[in-house]
Amino acid sequence: LALIADASALIGTVLDVDQTARELAEATVPELADIAAVDVLDTVLACHRTTGPGSGPELFRALALATAYPTEAARAADQVGDLATYAADRLVTQCVHTCKPVLVPRVNDRDLPRIARDPEAAALLARAGVHSYLAVPLIARGIMLGALDLKRARNPLPFDQDDAVLAGELASRAAVSIDNARWYQSVRNTAVTLQRSLLPEHPPYLVGLEIASRYQPAQATSEVGGDWFDIIPLSGDKTALVVGDVMGSGIDAAATMGRLRTATCTLAELDFDPAQVLQHLDRITSGLEHYIATCLYAVYDPHRAECHIANAGHMPPVLIHPGRPPELLDLRPGAPLGVGSVTFHSTTVDLHPGDDLVLYTDGLVETRRHPIDDRLHALVDLLDGSDCRPVGETCDLLLHALREPGDHDDVALLIARILPTRP
């Protein structure tokens, strides 16, 4: 009961399949087993398995391995991340086929080939002194996920029925967490794929501009959001630069982002002033159910050496002049898109060859632990001297320095460097 209580607090701490499997394996060592492995059916991880257990060989993916001490038995186990096919006569395969524990209190020479993946692994298990074996199924909501595989070597006691009951209880609790995590990761991967498919590729050539951009989704413990950027060639050699952030997360936010991006591209072709573009986008967003978005829309004219920018509740861009400190542009922010009946204003900024304009979404600078002003100062400090670096390197520097493990928001980042134009 103490082991179950401790394991309940340790297993399933995050919605991550690999970490949950690792927590399960570590919870059983050394109290219950000397060697523990968690193997999940590969079709389950791909969310393809809809039928019950079969009768033939099964393809397993090793998710976790834990040992109480250094042992040759670890080399006999499938290494984490490896795929291995186990025939129908193997004990772990029988475990998933029957949905019942497989208990071998005293392992003999005839049992080892049915436990190990091949003769070499069986020899390693024999040299390691493995003398007792237990496999229990991982079942959640009626779906067979895989098996928890336990072995004893130094522990002289054989596994018994009480051990099987205890291991089964641990596996049952962990299986629900693994199942939750696999479905969550499947939905998140779908949202990330959708999000990336909606983001643009760079135009092959832009007059007077060099562009670098990055998109980074939220970390595994959070859902992907609706951040986007765009680079739109316009008539007269002008270029529209856009960054935006749909508030919310998941597939709905990504789909809404796609709709707004399409509308932005259409409005850009009409050669509206940036404030007018945001005015139209505000009306479009107001028609979407329960969604608002922030957006920064800029149009650069290389022949006039100026940029017109309008802001809808978005983070201020950073302007970098060679040899001078970077500065946050003081724009009239306006309200986010979707609020309705808001007036937006355009600001004109003079740009010269060598200048950099940095546009980004709030995921780059916002955290739950730091004041936003401190983070904006950190961003400006990092950009000091960046005019001497390629713009792509500056993007990578910002993501590396400002992003933290487990960040809960997406980031869209766009840097435009002004190039000399031919007369």
Side-chain angles (χ1 to χ4, degrees):
L1 289 176
L3 179 57
I4 290 173
D6 291 342
S8 296
L10 296 174
I11 297 173
T13 57
V14 297
L15 285 169
D16 184 270
V17 170
D18 295 330
Q19 183 167 333
T20 302
R22 187 165 58 251
E23 291 165 348
L24 172 60
E26 291 173 351
T28 62
V29 173
E31 288 82 358
L32 186 57
D34 293 325
I35 305 102
V38 178
D39 301 303
V40 173
L41 295 164
D42 192 57
T43 51
V44 165
L45 288 179
C47 296
H48 291 160
R49 194 180 186 92
T50 56
T51 60
S55 57
E58 295 286 358
L59 181 64
F60 292 89
R61 184 177 293 276
L63 293 188
L65 176 66
T67 62
Y69 53 88
T71 171
E72 286 186 293
R75 291 167 49 208
D78 298 313
Q79 300 306 297
V80 173
D82 286 354
L83 285 170
T85 300
Y86 281 78
D89 63 338
R90 301 300 170 90
L91 298 186
V92 68
T93 309
Q94 290 182 18
C95 177
V96 300
H97 283 175
T98 62
C99 302
K100 296 179 180 179
V102 174
L103 172 62
V104 183
R106 300 190 183 280
V107 171
N108 57 40
D109 292 341
R110 294 189 303 275
D111 297 318
L112 286 175
R114 302 174 65 205
I115 296 172
R117 67 174 180 270
D118 55 36
E120 181 183 354
L124 288 170
L125 293 180
R127 287 204 301 268
V130 171
H131 64 82
S132 193
Y133 176 81
L134 173 62
V136 293
L138 295 166
I139 303 174
R141 303 177 179 92
I143 302 296
M144 171 57 64
L145 305 180
L148 170 63
D149 185 283
L150 305 173
K151 304 178 184 73
R152 282 181 177 171
R154 284 188 183 176
N155 186 334
L157 298 177
F159 288 115
D160 57 23
Q161 288 297 331
D162 287 342
D163 295 321
V165 171
L166 175 56
E169 180 65 24
L170 294 173
S172 177
R173 295 175 183 231
V176 174
S177 296
I178 291 174
D179 194 45
N180 289 340
R182 76 180 179 111
W183 283 112
Y184 168 77
Q185 289 184 350
S186 175
V187 172
R188 181 181 183 277
N189 290 342
T190 300
V192 170
T193 301
L194 174 61
Q195 178 90 341
R196 290 191 183 280
S197 71
L198 294 172
L199 293 174
E201 295 183 359
H202 287 181
Y205 176 71
L206 297 169
V207 177
L209 285 179
E210 178 186 356
I211 298 288
S213 62
R214 300 288 186 271
Y215 169 75
Q216 191 174 88
Q219 303 303 310
T221 55
S222 302
E223 287 191 356
V224 63
D227 293 24
W228 89 93
F229 65 86
D230 219 332
I231 307 108
I232 309 168
L234 304 176
S235 61
D237 295 332
K238 293 183 288 187
T239 302
L241 305 172
V242 190
V243 291
D245 183 1
V246 176
M247 297 182 186
S249 59
I251 294 175
D252 288 345
T256 300
M257 177 274 288
R259 295 166 71 178
L260 287 179
R261 179 176 172 247
T262 300
T264 305
C265 291
T266 302
L267 292 167
E269 292 291 336
L270 300 177
D271 202 24
F272 286 142
D273 178 82
Q276 292 178 294
V277 171
L278 294 186
Q279 205 81 47
H280 287 289
L281 287 176
D282 179 52
R283 284 197 287 269
I284 292 170
T285 310
S286 299
L288 303 178
E289 293 184 5
H290 311 300
Y291 275 105
I292 60 175
T294 65
C295 183
L296 193 74
Y297 185 90
V299 175
Y300 173 64
D301 185 338
H303 301 301
R304 293 178 176 269
E306 61 186 23
C307 187
H308 303 278
I309 310 175
N311 190 355
H314 203 80
M315 288 289 174
V318 181
L319 178 59
I320 306 168
H321 295 293
R324 291 162 53 187
E327 59 176 312
L328 290 167
L329 288 180
D330 185 16
L331 306 177
R332 297 181 65 174
L337 303 175
V339 172
S341 302
V342 176
T343 300
F344 299 96
H345 303 273
S346 295
T347 300
T348 300
V349 179
D350 293 330
L351 296 177
H352 306 283
D355 290 350
D356 287 350
L357 187 64
V358 182
L359 287 67
Y360 55 94
T361 55
D362 57 8
L364 183 66
V365 291
E366 282 190 349
T367 73
R368 295 171 177 173
R369 299 183 295 109
H370 304 96
I372 187 61
D373 288 343
D374 292 350
R375 295 286 290 175
L376 288 173
H377 287 316
L379 168 64
V380 171
D381 289 343
L382 284 168
L383 289 171
D384 196 6
S386 64
D387 55 291
C388 300
R389 286 189 297 266
V391 286
E393 289 185 11
T394 300
C395 285
D396 296 334
L397 169 68
L398 295 179
L399 291 175
H400 176 75
L402 295 175
R403 295 284 276 172
E404 299 178 353
D407 272 341
H408 64 283
D409 202 359
D410 295 25
V411 171
L413 175 61
L414 178 64
I415 301 179
R417 175 163 292 171
I418 309 303
L419 302 177
T421 55
R422 296 176 182 176

